[in-house]
Amino acid sequence: HVQLVESGGGSVQAGGSLKLSCKIVRFSTGDYCMGWFRQAPGKGREGVATIDGGRTTRYTDSVRGRYTISKDNAKKTLYLQMNELNTEDTAMYHCAATIDIASWCWPGREAEFDLWGQGTQVTVS
């Protein structure tokens, strides 16, 4: 049974930083495209960042330069370092995975991701 388990969320003041983690159980991060998505209250889910098997990273415009997605294949863990947080970053953050196909591994390709974690809440005030 494949699982994605997020952690690291919390409350932070604007301008602060948080680092999210996503532990993957029963498959290798190296074999999949991994991504972070978020959903703010009253809004649809939004792709934030993706990283493919070759470690190519992609970001949505609103977080580029502030967020960094990375992974540790040995630890089977995906990360999202978030800096310069603002109130618009407040959301439930989910990690997700899909087959490592180049055209799929983009933040805007949410529909292609079929493995999802339960999420971790980030609140910026």
Side-chain angles (χ1 to χ4, degrees):
H1 181 63
V2 174
Q3 283 185 302
L4 306 177
V5 181
E6 302 95 336
S7 63
S11 297
V12 64
Q13 290 188 334
S17 300
L18 282 174
K19 186 173 184 177
L20 306 184
S21 299
C22 174
K23 181 70 175 178
I24 295 92
V25 178
R26 300 199 181 171
F27 68 88
S28 171
T29 53
D31 298 331
Y32 285 76
C33 162
M34 305 293 301
W36 287 97
F37 297 79
R38 66 185 181 185
Q39 187 165 18
K43 295 185 178 181
R45 193 154 54 188
E46 173 191 27
V48 174
T50 57
I51 183 168
D52 67 17
R55 299 182 185 273
T56 296
T57 57
R58 300 178 178 95
Y59 298 90
T60 193
D61 289 345
S62 63
V63 308
R64 188 175 293 110
R66 300 188 297 122
Y67 287 17
T68 302
I69 188 172
S70 62
K71 62 180 179 178
D72 185 328
N73 290 340
K75 294 182 178 180
K76 293 189 175 182
T77 304
L78 177 72
Y79 301 100
L80 186 68
Q81 176 67 48
M82 306 184 294
N83 299 327
E84 300 176 36
L85 287 163
N86 59 61
T87 56
E88 294 184 351
D89 297 316
T90 294
M92 182 71 76
Y93 283 71
H94 300 265
C95 66
T98 187
I99 298 171
D100 192 17
I101 296 175
S103 61
W104 288 10
C105 202
W106 292 82
R109 299 298 297 268
E110 175 191 344
E112 311 299 348
F113 287 75
D114 53 4
L115 298 173
W116 291 85
Q118 293 298 307
T120 185
Q121 178 68 37
V122 172
T123 302
V124 184
S125 60

